Amino acid sequence: MTQDVVVGETAPRPKKKTNFFQRLWANRIFLLLVAPGTIFLIVFFYIPVLANVVAFQNFQYSDQGFLYSLFHSPWVGFQNFEFFFKSADFWIVLRNTVGYNMIFLLMNFFFAIFFGIVMSQLRNARLLKVYQTSMLFPYFLSWAILAYFVYAFLSTDKGILNQLIQAMGGKPIDFYNTPAVWPFILIFLGVWKGIGYNSILYFATAMGIDPSYYDAAMMDGASKWQQIKNVTLPHILPVAVLMLILNIGGIFRSDFGLFYLIPRGSGTLINVTQTFDTYIYRALTTTNDIGMSTAAGLMQSVIGAMLIVVSNWVVRHVEPESALF
């Protein structure tokens, strides 16, 4: 048999293989765009990871510099971890860190989705901007500033709340020496400050849903709640699961400003405000035990990474499309 050859047509030429450097040059513009962020991550995140070896040393700082101290400090293995686990503060720190973060995780998850959906249903553009701005504004205030606002409310002699209590014939409350009220104060402030920022992603996801889905639901006679239940929630579920997995990874970390600056470092409140981050800070400033502090920080990172892997494994077996990897 002979192949028919079409006159005037030529066979397609095989593509030339490009090497690594040619691909780099072809994508040089995009690489330059990501270069600042990449350099920042390498310098401030990846290189410092090597210093975690301090967690396994009895670190003794020398006048000859950090690197000299790092290579000449005696090796103690897991003694720093053992000392941290056996300390009287460990269970208090663990209870507070995990307990607060579990509450923050659930409440932020619920309220962020709720407000994100509510804002997506608003049709008044001006009113929507007012709500978004008012909800997002607290996120941009530092805890140092908010600490003074909270003190203006809770101060024993000049606080607004105590002035109201005294005006109604009651006795002023020394909030900064009353541990029982602080879990509620910290939870309220943590949710209030982050609710606007956390709801943005769900709002953007809900606004990106094709309007034809809502039109079809209305044609079938679906109420507003049924539209949210059958259209909005299924579309934002993958994003919600992704954010849940990432937040679970930070369950052993806490906001230092919230738990240290807001209570103004009060020693009386330490049983209800002490978390891993404040414990590490106090250990560095009072005992100067760098090895034990590094061990606590390393434990946070390792457990956080394990929690992300485990939670992603569970999601991948329940809802594979919503898994992170």
Side-chain angles (χ1 to χ4, degrees), residues 271-325:
N271 284 338
V272 294
T273 61
Q274 182 88 300
T275 61
F276 278 110
D277 295 87
T278 59
Y279 178 83
I280 293 171
Y281 174 77
R282 287 189 171 100
L284 284 172
T285 55
T286 57
T287 64
N288 199 28
D289 193 342
I290 299 177
M292 190 270 293
S293 303
T294 307
L298 181 60
M299 187 204 69
Q300 282 183 289
S301 301
V302 172
I303 294 180
M306 292 173 60
L307 287 173
I308 290 179
V309 173
V310 172
S311 58
N312 183 77
W313 179 84
V314 173
V315 171
R316 191 170 65 245
H317 284 76
V318 175
E319 187 71 27
E321 295 181 356
S322 300
L324 180 61
F325 52 87

Side-chain angles (χ1 to χ4, degrees), residues 42-56:
I42 292 173
V43 173
F44 293 101
F45 285 90
Y46 291 108
I47 293 178
V49 167
L50 302 176
N52 280 321
V53 70
V54 174
F56 305 96

Side-chain angles (χ1 to χ4, degrees), residues 14 19 47 84 106 169 180 191 231 252 302:
N19 58 34
I47 293 178
F84 175 61
L106 296 175
V191 174
V231 178
F252 272 78
V302 172

Side-chain angles (χ1 to χ4, degrees), residues 142-181:
S142 70
W143 286 117
I145 296 175
L146 291 176
Y148 285 101
F149 288 165
V150 174
Y151 184 75
F153 277 91
L154 304 182
S155 174
T156 305
D157 53 348
K158 299 179 181 179
I160 296 175
L161 287 180
N162 276 318
Q163 288 181 1
L164 291 175
I165 292 173
Q166 288 177 314
M168 292 185 292
K171 294 182 179 180
I173 302 173
D174 188 2
F175 287 101
Y176 288 93
N177 287 301
T178 309
V181 301

Side-chain angles (χ1 to χ4, degrees), residues 134-148:
S134 60
M135 292 177 61
L136 194 59
F137 179 71
Y139 179 79
F140 295 100
L141 294 176
S142 70
W143 286 117
I145 296 175
L146 291 176
Y148 285 101

Side-chain angles (χ1 to χ4, degrees), residues 1 20 23 32 36 42 69 80 100 103-104 110 117-118 129 133 151 168 171 179 199 209 221 227-228 242 244 283 290:
M1 296 178 64
F20 175 74
R23 291 195 297 271
L32 286 174
I42 292 173
S69 305
N80 289 321
Y100 281 121
I103 296 174
F104 288 147
F110 171 77
I117 293 176
V118 168
K129 291 180 180 179
T133 303
Y151 184 75
M168 292 185 292
K171 294 182 179 180
S199 63
I209 299 174
Q227 293 176 36
I228 294 173
L242 176 63
L244 184 63
I290 299 177

